[in-house]
Amino acid sequence: MAGPVFWTLVVLATLTSLVTAWALGANSNSPPFAPAIGANAISTMRAAFLIGILAALAHSR
């Protein structure tokens, strides 16, 4: 069972990743999803949906 330290690290890593992605912008945001799609961890359509959301957020600033 995961304790509070684990979930704190997960939240911190997620926030750090989102801030880094935001700082870099939406340029070439498809390639980072390739390993997840290749490993069948995420479907192609779900990845395309997420890429679209991230691109829209990056271009709205």
Side-chain angles (χ1 to χ4, degrees):
M1 189 164 168
V5 173
F6 172 78
W7 290 112
T8 302
L9 288 174
V10 168
V11 169
L12 182 63
T14 302
L15 291 175
T16 302
S17 298
L18 290 173
V19 169
T20 301
W22 187 271
L24 293 175
N27 296 334
S28 302
N29 54 359
S30 297
F33 283 87
I37 294 169
N40 290 326
I42 186 172
S43 70
T44 304
M45 290 304 292
R46 183 168 288 170
F49 179 73
L50 291 173
I51 291 166
I53 290 174
L54 293 174
L57 288 173
H59 288 293
S60 67
R61 52 183 170 131

